[in-house]
mmCIF file with all atom_site columns, all heavy atoms in Angstrom:
data_model
loop_
_atom_site.group_PDB
_atom_site.id
_atom_site.type_symbol
_atom_site.label_atom_id
_atom_site.label_alt_id
_atom_site.label_comp_id
_atom_site.label_asym_id
_atom_site.label_entity_id
_atom_site.label_seq_id
_atom_site.pdbx_PDB_ins_code
_atom_site.Cartn_x
_atom_site.Cartn_y
_atom_site.Cartn_z
_atom_site.occupancy
_atom_site.B_iso_or_equiv
_atom_site.pdbx_formal_charge
_atom_site.auth_seq_id
_atom_site.auth_comp_id
_atom_site.auth_asym_id
_atom_site.auth_atom_id
_atom_site.pdbx_PDB_model_num
ATOM 1   N N   . SER A 1 79 ? 9.399  1.421  -8.726  1.00 97.00 ? 222 SER A N   1
ATOM 2   C CA  . SER A 1 79 ? 10.099 1.725  -9.977  1.00 97.00 ? 222 SER A CA  1
ATOM 3   C C   . SER A 1 79 ? 9.351  2.816  -10.735 1.00 97.00 ? 222 SER A C   1
ATOM 4   O O   . SER A 1 79 ? 8.148  3.000  -10.553 1.00 97.00 ? 222 SER A O   1
ATOM 5   C CB  . SER A 1 79 ? 10.244 0.475  -10.839 1.00 97.00 ? 222 SER A CB  1
ATOM 6   O OG  . SER A 1 79 ? 8.981  -0.090 -11.103 1.00 97.00 ? 222 SER A OG  1
ATOM 7   N N   . TYR A 1 80 ? 10.089 3.534  -11.562 1.00 97.00 ? 223 TYR A N   1
ATOM 8   C CA  . TYR A 1 80 ? 9.515  4.694  -12.258 1.00 97.00 ? 223 TYR A CA  1
ATOM 9   C C   . TYR A 1 80 ? 10.064 4.795  -13.680 1.00 97.00 ? 223 TYR A C   1
ATOM 10  O O   . TYR A 1 80 ? 11.274 4.903  -13.875 1.00 97.00 ? 223 TYR A O   1
ATOM 11  C CB  . TYR A 1 80 ? 9.843  5.961  -11.454 1.00 97.00 ? 223 TYR A CB  1
ATOM 12  C CG  . TYR A 1 80 ? 9.543  7.265  -12.164 1.00 97.00 ? 223 TYR A CG  1
ATOM 13  C CD1 . TYR A 1 80 ? 8.263  7.542  -12.644 1.00 97.00 ? 223 TYR A CD1 1
ATOM 14  C CD2 . TYR A 1 80 ? 10.539 8.226  -12.353 1.00 97.00 ? 223 TYR A CD2 1
ATOM 15  C CE1 . TYR A 1 80 ? 7.990  8.734  -13.300 1.00 97.00 ? 223 TYR A CE1 1
ATOM 16  C CE2 . TYR A 1 80 ? 10.273 9.429  -13.004 1.00 97.00 ? 223 TYR A CE2 1
ATOM 17  C CZ  . TYR A 1 80 ? 8.989  9.680  -13.476 1.00 97.00 ? 223 TYR A CZ  1
ATOM 18  O OH  . TYR A 1 80 ? 8.725  10.853 -14.127 1.00 97.00 ? 223 TYR A OH  1
ATOM 19  N N   . GLY A 1 81 ? 9.195  4.732  -14.652 1.00 97.00 ? 224 GLY A N   1
ATOM 20  C CA  . GLY A 1 81 ? 9.579  4.920  -16.048 1.00 97.00 ? 224 GLY A CA  1
ATOM 21  C C   . GLY A 1 81 ? 9.536  6.395  -16.378 1.00 97.00 ? 224 GLY A C   1
ATOM 22  O O   . GLY A 1 81 ? 8.480  7.014  -16.324 1.00 97.00 ? 224 GLY A O   1
ATOM 23  N N   . PHE A 1 82 ? 10.691 6.961  -16.699 1.00 97.00 ? 225 PHE A N   1
ATOM 24  C CA  . PHE A 1 82 ? 10.803 8.407  -16.906 1.00 97.00 ? 225 PHE A CA  1
ATOM 25  C C   . PHE A 1 82 ? 9.925  8.897  -18.059 1.00 97.00 ? 225 PHE A C   1
ATOM 26  O O   . PHE A 1 82 ? 9.740  8.201  -19.051 1.00 97.00 ? 225 PHE A O   1
ATOM 27  C CB  . PHE A 1 82 ? 12.258 8.787  -17.232 1.00 97.00 ? 225 PHE A CB  1
ATOM 28  C CG  . PHE A 1 82 ? 13.199 8.765  -16.055 1.00 97.00 ? 225 PHE A CG  1
ATOM 29  C CD1 . PHE A 1 82 ? 12.975 7.931  -14.959 1.00 97.00 ? 225 PHE A CD1 1
ATOM 30  C CD2 . PHE A 1 82 ? 14.334 9.582  -16.054 1.00 97.00 ? 225 PHE A CD2 1
ATOM 31  C CE1 . PHE A 1 82 ? 13.861 7.907  -13.888 1.00 97.00 ? 225 PHE A CE1 1
ATOM 32  C CE2 . PHE A 1 82 ? 15.220 9.559  -14.988 1.00 97.00 ? 225 PHE A CE2 1
ATOM 33  C CZ  . PHE A 1 82 ? 14.990 8.728  -13.909 1.00 97.00 ? 225 PHE A CZ  1
ATOM 34  N N   . GLN A 1 83 ? 9.450  10.125 -17.904 1.00 95.00 ? 226 GLN A N   1
ATOM 35  C CA  . GLN A 1 83 ? 8.727  10.765 -19.004 1.00 95.00 ? 226 GLN A CA  1
ATOM 36  C C   . GLN A 1 83 ? 9.696  10.996 -20.174 1.00 95.00 ? 226 GLN A C   1
ATOM 37  O O   . GLN A 1 83 ? 9.369  10.710 -21.315 1.00 95.00 ? 226 GLN A O   1
ATOM 38  C CB  . GLN A 1 83 ? 8.115  12.092 -18.549 1.00 95.00 ? 226 GLN A CB  1
ATOM 39  C CG  . GLN A 1 83 ? 7.308  12.768 -19.646 1.00 95.00 ? 226 GLN A CG  1
ATOM 40  C CD  . GLN A 1 83 ? 6.478  13.940 -19.136 1.00 95.00 ? 226 GLN A CD  1
ATOM 41  O OE1 . GLN A 1 83 ? 6.558  14.323 -17.978 1.00 95.00 ? 226 GLN A OE1 1
ATOM 42  N NE2 . GLN A 1 83 ? 5.671  14.497 -20.011 1.00 95.00 ? 226 GLN A NE2 1
ATOM 43  N N   . ALA A 1 84 ? 10.899 11.490 -19.847 1.00 95.00 ? 227 ALA A N   1
ATOM 44  C CA  . ALA A 1 84 ? 11.934 11.679 -20.871 1.00 95.00 ? 227 ALA A CA  1
ATOM 45  C C   . ALA A 1 84 ? 13.167 10.870 -20.443 1.00 95.00 ? 227 ALA A C   1
ATOM 46  O O   . ALA A 1 84 ? 14.036 11.386 -19.756 1.00 95.00 ? 227 ALA A O   1
ATOM 47  C CB  . ALA A 1 84 ? 12.277 13.156 -21.014 1.00 95.00 ? 227 ALA A CB  1
ATOM 48  N N   . PRO A 1 85 ? 13.231 9.603  -20.852 1.00 96.00 ? 228 PRO A N   1
ATOM 49  C CA  . PRO A 1 85 ? 14.337 8.759  -20.393 1.00 96.00 ? 228 PRO A CA  1
ATOM 50  C C   . PRO A 1 85 ? 15.676 9.190  -20.998 1.00 96.00 ? 228 PRO A C   1
ATOM 51  O O   . PRO A 1 85 ? 15.713 9.666  -22.136 1.00 96.00 ? 228 PRO A O   1
ATOM 52  C CB  . PRO A 1 85 ? 13.963 7.351  -20.883 1.00 96.00 ? 228 PRO A CB  1
ATOM 53  C CG  . PRO A 1 85 ? 12.782 7.483  -21.754 1.00 96.00 ? 228 PRO A CG  1
ATOM 54  C CD  . PRO A 1 85 ? 12.286 8.889  -21.722 1.00 96.00 ? 228 PRO A CD  1
ATOM 55  N N   . PRO A 1 86 ? 16.773 9.026  -20.239 1.00 97.00 ? 229 PRO A N   1
ATOM 56  C CA  . PRO A 1 86 ? 18.086 9.373  -20.783 1.00 97.00 ? 229 PRO A CA  1
ATOM 57  C C   . PRO A 1 86 ? 18.608 8.279  -21.712 1.00 97.00 ? 229 PRO A C   1
ATOM 58  O O   . PRO A 1 86 ? 18.119 7.154  -21.687 1.00 97.00 ? 229 PRO A O   1
ATOM 59  C CB  . PRO A 1 86 ? 18.965 9.470  -19.536 1.00 97.00 ? 229 PRO A CB  1
ATOM 60  C CG  . PRO A 1 86 ? 18.337 8.553  -18.545 1.00 97.00 ? 229 PRO A CG  1
ATOM 61  C CD  . PRO A 1 86 ? 16.863 8.557  -18.845 1.00 97.00 ? 229 PRO A CD  1
ATOM 62  N N   . ARG A 1 87 ? 19.599 8.624  -22.524 1.00 96.00 ? 230 ARG A N   1
ATOM 63  C CA  . ARG A 1 87 ? 20.256 7.649  -23.406 1.00 96.00 ? 230 ARG A CA  1
ATOM 64  C C   . ARG A 1 87 ? 21.623 7.320  -22.826 1.00 96.00 ? 230 ARG A C   1
ATOM 65  O O   . ARG A 1 87 ? 22.188 8.122  -22.079 1.00 96.00 ? 230 ARG A O   1
ATOM 66  C CB  . ARG A 1 87 ? 20.423 8.257  -24.800 1.00 96.00 ? 230 ARG A CB  1
ATOM 67  C CG  . ARG A 1 87 ? 19.098 8.586  -25.479 1.00 96.00 ? 230 ARG A CG  1
ATOM 68  C CD  . ARG A 1 87 ? 19.357 9.428  -26.735 1.00 96.00 ? 230 ARG A CD  1
ATOM 69  N NE  . ARG A 1 87 ? 18.138 10.119 -27.141 1.00 96.00 ? 230 ARG A NE  1
ATOM 70  C CZ  . ARG A 1 87 ? 17.265 9.653  -28.038 1.00 96.00 ? 230 ARG A CZ  1
ATOM 71  N NH1 . ARG A 1 87 ? 17.481 8.495  -28.623 1.00 96.00 ? 230 ARG A NH1 1
ATOM 72  N NH2 . ARG A 1 87 ? 16.192 10.343 -28.339 1.00 96.00 ? 230 ARG A NH2 1
ATOM 73  N N   . PHE A 1 88 ? 22.137 6.163  -23.184 1.00 95.00 ? 231 PHE A N   1
ATOM 74  C CA  . PHE A 1 88 ? 23.438 5.709  -22.671 1.00 95.00 ? 231 PHE A CA  1
ATOM 75  C C   . PHE A 1 88 ? 24.301 5.229  -23.816 1.00 95.00 ? 231 PHE A C   1
ATOM 76  O O   . PHE A 1 88 ? 23.969 4.234  -24.447 1.00 95.00 ? 231 PHE A O   1
ATOM 77  C CB  . PHE A 1 88 ? 23.252 4.534  -21.709 1.00 95.00 ? 231 PHE A CB  1
ATOM 78  C CG  . PHE A 1 88 ? 22.474 4.846  -20.470 1.00 95.00 ? 231 PHE A CG  1
ATOM 79  C CD1 . PHE A 1 88 ? 21.096 4.729  -20.456 1.00 95.00 ? 231 PHE A CD1 1
ATOM 80  C CD2 . PHE A 1 88 ? 23.124 5.239  -19.308 1.00 95.00 ? 231 PHE A CD2 1
ATOM 81  C CE1 . PHE A 1 88 ? 20.368 5.000  -19.314 1.00 95.00 ? 231 PHE A CE1 1
ATOM 82  C CE2 . PHE A 1 88 ? 22.402 5.514  -18.164 1.00 95.00 ? 231 PHE A CE2 1
ATOM 83  C CZ  . PHE A 1 88 ? 21.027 5.399  -18.159 1.00 95.00 ? 231 PHE A CZ  1
ATOM 84  N N   . LYS A 1 89 ? 25.413 5.907  -24.071 1.00 93.00 ? 232 LYS A N   1
ATOM 85  C CA  . LYS A 1 89 ? 26.319 5.444  -25.129 1.00 93.00 ? 232 LYS A CA  1
ATOM 86  C C   . LYS A 1 89 ? 26.979 4.142  -24.689 1.00 93.00 ? 232 LYS A C   1
ATOM 87  O O   . LYS A 1 89 ? 27.535 4.075  -23.605 1.00 93.00 ? 232 LYS A O   1
ATOM 88  C CB  . LYS A 1 89 ? 27.410 6.482  -25.365 1.00 93.00 ? 232 LYS A CB  1
ATOM 89  C CG  . LYS A 1 89 ? 26.946 7.614  -26.226 1.00 93.00 ? 232 LYS A CG  1
ATOM 90  C CD  . LYS A 1 89 ? 28.052 8.614  -26.485 1.00 93.00 ? 232 LYS A CD  1
ATOM 91  C CE  . LYS A 1 89 ? 27.472 9.820  -27.180 1.00 93.00 ? 232 LYS A CE  1
ATOM 92  N NZ  . LYS A 1 89 ? 28.290 11.009 -27.022 1.00 93.00 ? 232 LYS A NZ  1
ATOM 93  N N   . GLY A 1 90 ? 26.895 3.154  -25.545 1.00 91.00 ? 233 GLY A N   1
ATOM 94  C CA  . GLY A 1 90 ? 27.605 1.897  -25.274 1.00 91.00 ? 233 GLY A CA  1
ATOM 95  C C   . GLY A 1 90 ? 26.831 0.911  -24.419 1.00 91.00 ? 233 GLY A C   1
ATOM 96  O O   . GLY A 1 90 ? 27.283 -0.197 -24.215 1.00 91.00 ? 233 GLY A O   1
ATOM 97  N N   . MET A 1 91 ? 25.669 1.312  -23.895 1.00 95.00 ? 234 MET A N   1
ATOM 98  C CA  . MET A 1 91 ? 24.899 0.351  -23.119 1.00 95.00 ? 234 MET A CA  1
ATOM 99  C C   . MET A 1 91 ? 23.833 -0.260 -24.030 1.00 95.00 ? 234 MET A C   1
ATOM 100 O O   . MET A 1 91 ? 23.095 0.456  -24.685 1.00 95.00 ? 234 MET A O   1
ATOM 101 C CB  . MET A 1 91 ? 24.259 1.026  -21.915 1.00 95.00 ? 234 MET A CB  1
ATOM 102 C CG  . MET A 1 91 ? 23.865 0.005  -20.857 1.00 95.00 ? 234 MET A CG  1
ATOM 103 S SD  . MET A 1 91 ? 23.162 0.768  -19.402 1.00 95.00 ? 234 MET A SD  1
ATOM 104 C CE  . MET A 1 91 ? 24.595 1.437  -18.600 1.00 95.00 ? 234 MET A CE  1
ATOM 105 N N   . ARG A 1 92 ? 23.807 -1.586 -24.066 1.00 96.00 ? 235 ARG A N   1
ATOM 106 C CA  . ARG A 1 92 ? 22.843 -2.254 -24.948 1.00 96.00 ? 235 ARG A CA  1
ATOM 107 C C   . ARG A 1 92 ? 21.482 -2.354 -24.273 1.00 96.00 ? 235 ARG A C   1
ATOM 108 O O   . ARG A 1 92 ? 21.386 -2.327 -23.042 1.00 96.00 ? 235 ARG A O   1
ATOM 109 C CB  . ARG A 1 92 ? 23.331 -3.662 -25.288 1.00 96.00 ? 235 ARG A CB  1
ATOM 110 C CG  . ARG A 1 92 ? 24.389 -3.694 -26.380 1.00 96.00 ? 235 ARG A CG  1
ATOM 111 C CD  . ARG A 1 92 ? 25.005 -5.057 -26.489 1.00 96.00 ? 235 ARG A CD  1
ATOM 112 N NE  . ARG A 1 92 ? 25.729 -5.372 -25.267 1.00 96.00 ? 235 ARG A NE  1
ATOM 113 C CZ  . ARG A 1 92 ? 26.918 -5.943 -25.215 1.00 96.00 ? 235 ARG A CZ  1
ATOM 114 N NH1 . ARG A 1 92 ? 27.525 -6.275 -26.324 1.00 96.00 ? 235 ARG A NH1 1
ATOM 115 N NH2 . ARG A 1 92 ? 27.517 -6.194 -24.070 1.00 96.00 ? 235 ARG A NH2 1
ATOM 116 N N   . VAL A 1 93 ? 20.453 -2.539 -25.083 1.00 96.00 ? 236 VAL A N   1
ATOM 117 C CA  . VAL A 1 93 ? 19.095 -2.720 -24.572 1.00 96.00 ? 236 VAL A CA  1
ATOM 118 C C   . VAL A 1 93 ? 19.078 -3.901 -23.593 1.00 96.00 ? 236 VAL A C   1
ATOM 119 O O   . VAL A 1 93 ? 18.513 -3.814 -22.504 1.00 96.00 ? 236 VAL A O   1
ATOM 120 C CB  . VAL A 1 93 ? 18.108 -2.933 -25.741 1.00 96.00 ? 236 VAL A CB  1
ATOM 121 C CG1 . VAL A 1 93 ? 16.741 -3.335 -25.216 1.00 96.00 ? 236 VAL A CG1 1
ATOM 122 C CG2 . VAL A 1 93 ? 18.012 -1.672 -26.591 1.00 96.00 ? 236 VAL A CG2 1
#
Side-chain angles (χ1 to χ4, degrees):
Chain A
S222 57
Y223 169 57
F225 285 28
Q226 182 169 5
R230 297 169 199 266
F231 297 88
K232 280 182 188 158
M234 199 178 285
R235 280 170 295 223
V236 171

